């Protein structure tokens, strides 16, 4: 009886521990919303435990697992596009992936739109895939199924509360506004706009009967500038719509178009040609100035916008590209920021004309500002080409090529600032101003800093712009992290690489398949090191970069162990999906299979997680998780090896 009671208590303890381990730290709520013309929005709301975060749907390639909504195909509806709507995520620089990763904390809402093709009730089936992490570990990617019934003839469902995402959206809009405001300040320093400030303000002060009238006219002029550019922002949003604007950051053809557009803008700033508005438009605006009053002032501002387009157009175009990723309100907020900066000096100097004398005189430096902006636009253009290249897998603009192009662009900018290069509209210089000389040295220093990136250096200052390290001609770097000369080099009775083995982290020979690794372990009489890891696991990369890079540990893993890396976020589809006997969920991918294997065998879900076993699948010592202490990890490996030999 006592033994039975003890066994029962033990079973209950294991059962309770199992359910504790199965906690996902995130819960999902699913709903739908009728939009218009048969379109339905699938809404997935996440509630996340304190200290955990879920990733955005938009992440750099080969980093963490992005959140994704998959809808099963059905004749009753069609999926409009692959775009997932989400609030603006908080960006965090991840040293492991050398990239900025976006994620959400506490709450997040993801949406996807489908087009319903028939009347009556329609059942939408699918799942949302996500991965959550905290500062110490990551859970395996989880796929949560949903089944929703919709009827497009029914009234639209209640709006999802915007209070959850208001703070994130506000931060995004402030970012767009400040970026656009900076663009407006840059536009002020171009030869098309800067000389207009004293001319316009002098006109107002001379034609106004009183000082108050001059101030009023100047303010009206500034407001008119803001209204004109706001109309442009509203037009862009109205024509394209929010869903199309969201495609700007992911669609291949949009990115190729913007690459060509920014190259054309850069060439214009370099002086190859001028982008001007039709003369009929300018004449129409000039005639409107004769009407006087607010209408006349408005047409004066409209004339400024048209005449200065050769300088402001490329800046406005680049800002609209960036601002459009902020959804429907992005272009509107962007144009508000740009026009506010542009209008500010006109209103200020109209109110205080005495300060006009403090402005620097026009000259060749204004064209230099245009040329520098041209260099920057040309550099940013290649970011758009890089996105298209990685998406399509062309491998035209790999990491080394991208960095080489940036070295050339910023090197040329540095020489230009130092007076070694002259472009068509530059004025001759007898000497280089000190400020320009210092700026030139700064740009040349930045250029030299990027050079080691050609040989695999991280170049963290430009992180997020070039492709990741694995998207390169030499993923291991030149003369760095070469594959370990371990069991593969020596042949180990095979004279080459065994079936299923490849060069893994730090060039260490590794398997990705457990069964193949186990069979090879029996053949060569070596213990297995199970490495439960993930492509998007930050701490896994830290262990590989900081611990496995140690020569002693690297040698032990290559020569004394059979390493098998089981990626719990491997999204390769299984030939035959199955339903888990443990969780009851459908197992669709290789990653889900290894995540379930880890939980079933070791009641653990976090990564990294390391287990040493022998050829009979017996655990030799206590498994360990993330631990950056090199000596402790080495002792753990040695302990496992000693126990294997002393069996």
């Amino acid at each position: 009886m006592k033994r039975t009671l003890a066994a029962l208590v033990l079973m209950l303890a294991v059962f309770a521990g199992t359910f504790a381990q199965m906690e996902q730290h995130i819960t999902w709520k699913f709903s739908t919303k009728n939009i218009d013309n048969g379109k339905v929005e699938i809404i997935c709301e996440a509630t996340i435990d304190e200290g955990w975060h879920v990733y955005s749907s938009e992440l750099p390639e080969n980093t963490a697992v992005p959140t994704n909504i998959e809808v099963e195909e059905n004749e009753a509806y069609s999926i409009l596009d692959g775009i997932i709507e989400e609030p603006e995520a908080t960006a965090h620089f991840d040293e492991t992936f050398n990239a900025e990763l976006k994620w959400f904390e506490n709450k997040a809402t993801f949406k996807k739109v489908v087009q319903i093709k028939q009347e009556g009730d329609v059942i939408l089936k699918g799942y949302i895939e996500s991965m959550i992490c905290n500062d110490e570990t990551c859970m395996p990617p989880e796929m949560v199924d949903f089944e929703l019934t919709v009827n497009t003839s029914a009234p639209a469902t209640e709006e999802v509360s915007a209070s959850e995402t208001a703070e994130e959206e506000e931060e995004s809009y402030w970012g767009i506004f400040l970026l656009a405001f900076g663009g407006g300040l840059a536009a002020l320093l171009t030869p098309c706009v800067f000389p207009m400030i004293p001319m316009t303000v002098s006109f107002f002060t001379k034609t106004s009967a009183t000082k108050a009238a001059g101030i009023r006219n100047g303010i009206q002029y500034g407001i008119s500038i803001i209204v004109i550019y706001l109309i442009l922002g509203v037009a862009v949003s109205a024509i394209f719509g929010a869903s199309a604007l969201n495609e700007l950051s992911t669609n291949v053809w949009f990115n190729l178009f913007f690459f060509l557009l920014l190259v054309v803008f850069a060439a214009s700033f370099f002086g190859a040609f001028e982008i001007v508005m039709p003369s009929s438009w300018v004449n129409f605006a000039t005639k409107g100035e004769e009407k006087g009053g607010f209408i006349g002032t408005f047409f004066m501002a409209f004339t400024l916008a048209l005449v200065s387009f050769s300088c402001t157009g490329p800046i406005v175009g680049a800002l609209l590209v960036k601002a459009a990723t902020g959804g429907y309100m992005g272009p509107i907020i962007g144009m508000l920021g740009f026009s506010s900066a542009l209008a500010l000096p006109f209103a200020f100097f109209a109110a205080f004309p005495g300060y006009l004398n403090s402005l620097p005189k026009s000259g060749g430096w204004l064209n230099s500002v245009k040329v520098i902006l041209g260099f920057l636009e040309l550099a940013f253009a290649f970011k758009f080409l890089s996105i298209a290249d990685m998406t399509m897998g062309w491998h035209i603009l790999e990491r080394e090529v991208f960095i080489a192009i940036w070295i050339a662009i910023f090197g040329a900018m540095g020489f230009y600032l130092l007076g070694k290069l002259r472009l068509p509209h530059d004025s001759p210089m007898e000497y280089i101003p000190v400020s320009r000389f210092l700026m030139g040295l700064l740009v040349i220093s930045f250029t030299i800093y990027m050079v080691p990136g050609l040989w695999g250096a991280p170049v963290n200052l430009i992180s997020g712009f070039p492709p990741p390290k694995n998207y390169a001609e030499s993923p291991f770097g030149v003369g760095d992290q070469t594959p370990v000369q371990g069991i593969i080099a020596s042949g180990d009775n095979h004279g080459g690489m065994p079936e299923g083995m490849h060069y893994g982290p730090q060039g260490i020979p590794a398997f990705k398949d457990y069964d193949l690794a186990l069979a090879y372990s029996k053949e060569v009489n070596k213990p297995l090191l199970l490495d439960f890891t993930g492509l998007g696991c930050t701490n896994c990369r830290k262990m590989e970069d900081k611990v496995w890079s140690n020569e002693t540990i690297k040698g032990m893993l290559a020569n004394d162990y059979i390493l098998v890396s089981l990626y719990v976020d491997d999204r390769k589809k299984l030939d035959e999906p199955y339903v888990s006997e443990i969780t009851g969920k459908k197992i669709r991918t290789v990653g889900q299979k290894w995540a379930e294997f880890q939980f079933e065998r070791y009641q653990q879900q976090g990564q990294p997680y390391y287990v040493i076993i022998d050829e009979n699948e017996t655990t030799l010592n206590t498994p360990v998780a993330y631990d950056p202490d090199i000596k402790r990890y080495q002792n753990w490996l040695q302990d496992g090896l000693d126990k294997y030999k002393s069996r």
Side-chain angles (χ1 to χ4, degrees), residues 483-492 503 507-509 526 554-555 557-559:
V484 176
Q485 301 301 309
I487 61 174
I488 294 178
S490 64
D492 211 9
Y503 289 123
I508 300 167
K526 291 183 179 180
K554 188 187 297 185
L557 294 177
N559 297 294

Side-chain angles (χ1 to χ4, degrees), residues 37-164:
N37 300 322
K39 295 178 182 177
V40 173
E41 213 171 40
I42 298 173
I43 304 170
C44 307
E45 300 175 83
T47 301
I48 310 157
D49 285 358
E50 186 70 27
W52 293 81
H53 58 261
V54 65
Y55 287 101
S56 163
S57 63
E58 298 178 359
L59 295 178
E61 189 178 2
N62 296 317
T63 55
V65 174
T67 300
N68 183 45
I69 302 173
E70 286 289 339
V71 184
E72 292 183 7
E73 295 182 0
N74 193 296
E75 295 181 354
Y77 54 82
S78 60
I79 303 168
L80 294 182
D81 52 45
I83 300 300
I84 297 175
E85 290 187 35
E86 63 179 47
E88 183 68 19
T90 305
H92 302 264
F93 181 76
D94 192 303
E95 295 181 357
T96 302
F97 293 114
N98 194 30
E100 277 198 346
L101 302 184
K102 296 181 179 180
W103 66 59
F104 301 95
E105 297 174 326
N106 301 321
K107 290 184 179 294
T109 302
F110 302 88
K111 304 176 183 179
K112 198 167 190 176
V113 179
V114 297
Q115 177 73 56
I116 305 299
K117 298 180 180 179
Q118 66 183 41
E119 296 182 357
D121 289 345
V122 174
I123 297 177
L124 300 173
K125 291 184 178 181
Y127 62 87
I128 185 164
E129 180 184 18
S130 64
M131 186 173 84
I132 61 170
C133 300
N134 62 14
D135 293 337
E136 298 179 358
T137 187
C138 289
M139 294 292 106
E142 183 187 28
M143 296 180 182
V144 180
D145 295 293
F146 59 78
E147 183 173 320
L148 302 165
T149 302
V150 298
N151 189 324
T152 54
S153 61
T157 57
E158 187 178 350
E159 293 268 356
V160 176
S161 174
S163 61
E164 300 174 2

Side-chain angles (χ1 to χ4, degrees), residues 272-453:
F273 49 82
E274 283 196 351
I275 304 173
V276 296
M277 289 292 188
S279 58
S280 58
W281 293 16
V282 179
N283 293 335
F284 171 77
T286 304
K287 289 180 181 179
E289 296 177 14
E290 300 173 358
K291 296 183 179 181
F294 181 78
I295 295 177
T297 303
F298 179 85
F299 275 99
M300 283 187 65
F302 190 39
T303 303
L304 170 69
L306 296 177
V307 172
S308 64
F309 186 78
S310 60
C311 292
T312 60
I315 301 174
V316 169
L319 287 173
L320 283 174
V321 171
K322 174 62 179 175
T325 59
Y328 187 88
M329 288 298 296
I332 300 173
I333 298 295
M335 289 303 94
L336 176 63
F338 178 84
S339 58
S340 297
L342 203 62
L344 188 61
F346 291 96
F348 176 80
F349 287 115
F352 306 100
Y355 284 96
L356 279 173
N357 296 327
S358 63
L359 284 177
K361 295 182 179 180
S362 300
W365 67 273
L366 291 174
N367 188 70
S368 298
V369 172
K370 274 184 63 177
V371 172
I372 292 170
L373 291 174
F375 279 117
L376 294 176
E377 291 214 342
L378 185 61
F380 291 138
F382 283 93
K383 176 59 179 176
F384 291 101
L385 180 60
S386 174
I387 294 172
D389 179 63
M390 288 191 292
T391 301
M392 298 301 293
W394 293 329
H395 289 271
I396 297 172
L397 196 63
E398 293 180 325
R399 183 177 176 87
E400 295 92 340
V401 178
F402 185 100
I403 293 176
I405 291 172
W406 267 40
I407 289 172
I409 292 173
F410 284 96
M413 184 197 294
F415 284 119
Y416 175 80
L417 288 168
L418 294 176
K420 302 300 181 182
L421 293 176
R422 280 187 60 190
L423 291 172
H425 300 298
D426 285 328
S427 303
M429 290 188 300
E430 295 182 6
Y431 62 90
I432 301 173
V434 174
S435 58
R436 179 167 176 160
F437 175 73
L438 294 175
M439 189 180 298
L441 290 181
L442 181 64
V443 174
I444 290 293
S445 300
F446 175 67
T447 304
I448 295 172
Y449 164 80
M450 289 190 288
V451 172

